[in-house]
Amino acid sequence: MILFRATIPFPADVDLSRVFFWTLITVTTAAFPVKLPGGVVAHITTAPIIAAVFDSQLANPFAVCWIALLGTTELRDVRGEVAWYGTLYNRFAYVLAAFAAWLVFNFVQPALRADIAFSTVALIVLVGLAFSVTNMFLAVAAASLRTNSPMARIWALSVSNTLFGTIALVFLGWLMAEVATKVGLWASVLFMVPLLLARYSFTKYAETRAMFLGTVSALSQAIDAKDGFTRGHADRVSRIAGAIAREMGLSERNIEEIELAGMLHDIGKIGVEDQILMKPARLDPHEQELMRRHPIYGASILKPSESLRPLVPLVLHHHENFDGSGYPEGRKGDDIPLGSRIIIVADAYEAMTSDRIYRKAIGHERAMDQLNRYKGIQFDPKVVRALGTLIEKHGAAAFEVSELPQINYETLAELRKRLAREPLARDAHAG
Ligand SMILES: [Fe+2]
């Protein structure tokens, strides 16, 4: 409707070549999308669209609406990699955002005095906000519906970390319009260089994050592989702990920390001798003593890494009991980090509900009974209650929402058995 209203009747003073120029610049920038974690695709098209809003020689809102509609078409739309309704949704999300930006521009500009620098900055900020908030809200809502995860999570994963980049794009857009009207259209083409640089930093963020999560997941598989009984255990603990943390209303940043610590909570088992770790019988008191050092080993493994350091207290205290009877420090109640209190519950629940070589899983209800029996003793009652609510609300599917890569590898023990049956080819020549 907005597009229709902006086009009919056809505005009298349209310089179509100018509209075409900005569309061309926008299309060029749209050719470099960045897929952010969380499923939102980021664009540097913000800059030329904002430029079109500020370009006084364009017949707006006709121009911005059409530039936003045509200019944001991407290769994946043309190739048919996006469903038709997805393409339509994305195009009109941009038209709406561009129109919102123009509306704000049109209302605010007459009220401001152009000779005061501050008012120009305020105008840019307001126009940028109108565009970004509309556009991001529509993108996050779509990603949230598509991936069936909460909007707050998508926001934290994709938008919050690129906010500064977006602000830079808005100012760059205003500058492009200034240069285009005062120097000439050709000069604004020069802005492609900083635009592509901005895009590079977006990509780096996404890549670095993927690499970090990949490394954490590889580390976690190393423990699962060594600790033959617990295939995929750490991964499940991480998902359960993350879901409990979300249910308890923690911030996305804390939730992610708890998920990562859940993934790595038993990393210290690398330091425990194989005979103890893989012993099929009950451990004697001395062996138990050695086994109980694994949280300390874990903390010392994580400490040297700057990005893993926040997880150190969570890993160190994941065997502290609520009544102070746990290890390594015998901490009590609220002195135990909340993340550790969550991980110990997730750890116990996962162990009870998954099959092990030596026993079958017990059901969710019996597992919850056990947790309830030991709440206040081993477990924080608040955490057990949160897990109970979570299971009541969503069933076991409550644990499937996570950004962490899925792990489904055979354990080292299984690999050893398999390779023992099928000798490696080079063994045949070994003599
Ligand atoms: Fe442990």
Side-chain angles (χ1 to χ4, degrees):
M1 278 167 69
I2 289 167
L3 199 66
F4 192 78
R5 188 66 195 80
T7 314
I8 294 167
F10 199 76
D13 48 349
V14 177
D15 178 354
L16 274 181
S17 62
R18 209 169 172 91
V19 176
F20 179 74
F21 170 81
W22 286 115
T23 308
L24 199 69
I25 295 266
T26 316
V27 163
T28 316
T29 53
F32 301 100
V34 188
K35 205 166 165 18
L36 295 170
V40 172
V41 177
H43 287 282
I44 45 178
T45 49
T46 302
I49 294 175
I50 293 288
V53 173
F54 280 105
D55 187 344
S56 52
Q57 291 174 36
L58 282 174
N60 277 329
F62 168 84
V64 283
C65 288
W66 281 98
I67 291 168
L69 181 77
L70 301 175
T72 55
T73 307
E74 294 168 58
L75 280 174
R76 60 187 185 131
D77 293 316
V78 181
R79 287 199 197 113
E81 291 165 18
V82 185
W84 63 270
Y85 50 86
T87 300
L88 269 188
Y89 183 91
N90 290 337
R91 293 297 72 70
F92 283 106
Y94 273 106
V95 173
L96 275 177
F99 182 69
W102 174 80
L103 265 188
V104 169
F105 175 77
N106 217 38
F107 274 108
V108 177
Q109 201 215 16
L112 292 173
R113 286 182 49 198
D115 56 330
I116 304 173
F118 172 75
S119 67
T120 307
V121 174
L123 180 66
I124 300 168
V125 169
L126 288 175
V127 168
L129 267 179
F131 180 84
S132 313
V133 169
T134 315
N135 190 28
M136 284 172 185
F137 174 77
L138 292 169
V140 168
S144 163
L145 278 177
R146 202 179 64 237
T147 58
N148 199 14
S149 45
M151 281 181 74
R153 179 165 185 80
I154 308 272
W155 173 273
L157 280 170
S158 25
V159 181
S160 67
N161 291 291
T162 52
L163 219 51
F164 281 110
T166 309
I167 294 169
L169 287 179
V170 169
F171 280 95
L172 212 56
W174 172 78
L175 212 55
M176 278 172 95
E178 284 291 296
V179 169
T181 46
K182 289 179 183 148
V183 183
L185 280 182
W186 63 271
S188 60
V189 178
L190 297 176
F191 282 90
M192 293 305 277
V193 177
L195 271 181
L196 290 176
L197 278 176
R199 185 247 174 194
Y200 183 70
S201 72
F202 278 150
T203 322
K204 273 285 158 263
Y205 161 68
E207 277 175 5
T208 312
R209 193 187 144 82
M211 203 156 72
F212 174 65
L213 291 182
T215 313
V216 167
S217 132
L219 267 172
S220 146
Q221 284 173 45
I223 326 156
D224 281 3
K226 210 172 167 212
D227 196 354
F229 299 124
T230 53
R231 165 184 176 153
H233 166 70
D235 182 48
R236 293 241 313 144
V237 169
S238 152
R239 283 164 206 272
I240 296 168
I244 297 176
R246 179 162 297 113
E247 178 64 34
M248 294 180 77
L250 301 190
S251 71
E252 285 299 325
R253 191 196 172 89
N254 284 329
I255 295 170
E256 187 176 274
E257 240 169 54
I258 290 168
E259 281 193 331
L260 291 172
M263 200 85 147
L264 298 174
H265 69 282
D266 271 344
I267 183 98
K269 286 192 176 169
I270 287 175
V272 178
E273 288 81 355
D274 280 9
Q275 306 96 283
I276 299 174
L277 197 60
M278 297 180 176
K279 190 174 174 182
R282 221 184 148 74
L283 301 177
D284 67 39
H286 175 64
E287 290 167 336
Q288 236 171 51
E289 187 55 46
L290 294 176
M291 186 68 159
R292 286 179 161 207
R293 288 183 189 166
H294 79 268
I296 302 172
Y297 295 146
S300 83
I301 290 170
L302 299 180
K303 211 174 275 168
S305 152
E306 198 176 320
S307 44
L308 297 176
R309 203 166 300 141
L311 315 181
V312 168
L314 277 61
V315 169
L316 182 62
H317 298 295
H318 82 273
H319 282 289
E320 305 279 12
N321 292 338
F322 197 66
D323 65 358
S325 64
Y327 58 90
E329 288 178 12
R331 285 201 189 188
K332 216 174 183 171
D334 289 346
D335 286 343
I336 309 165
L338 180 58
S340 308
R341 281 179 269 150
I342 292 177
I343 289 169
I344 194 172
V345 170
D347 196 6
Y349 177 79
E350 201 287 327
M352 287 190 279
T353 52
S354 63
D355 284 328
R356 295 290 164 85
I357 292 170
Y358 47 89
R359 55 150 188 72
K360 272 279 179 211
I362 65 174
H364 295 280
E365 272 168 38
R366 283 187 54 204
M368 279 313 296
D369 284 347
Q370 286 294 318
L371 292 179
N372 275 315
R373 179 178 308 166
Y374 289 101
K375 75 180 175 198
I377 304 166
Q378 189 177 7
F379 309 116
D380 181 345
K382 283 195 297 290
V383 178
V384 176
R385 226 173 294 134
L387 177 62
T389 330
L390 197 63
I391 295 171
E392 256 169 49
K393 269 201 286 194
H394 309 281
F399 311 129
E400 296 317 313
V401 180
S402 169
E403 260 304 298
L404 304 171
Q406 279 273 355
I407 299 178
N408 206 356
Y409 267 43
E410 58 183 342
T411 63
L412 193 58
E414 284 166 355
L415 188 64
R416 276 180 188 151
K417 262 186 243 157
R418 187 164 63 78
L419 291 183
R421 283 197 303 271
E422 358 166 331
L424 296 174
R426 65 160 193 274
D427 284 357
H429 307 284

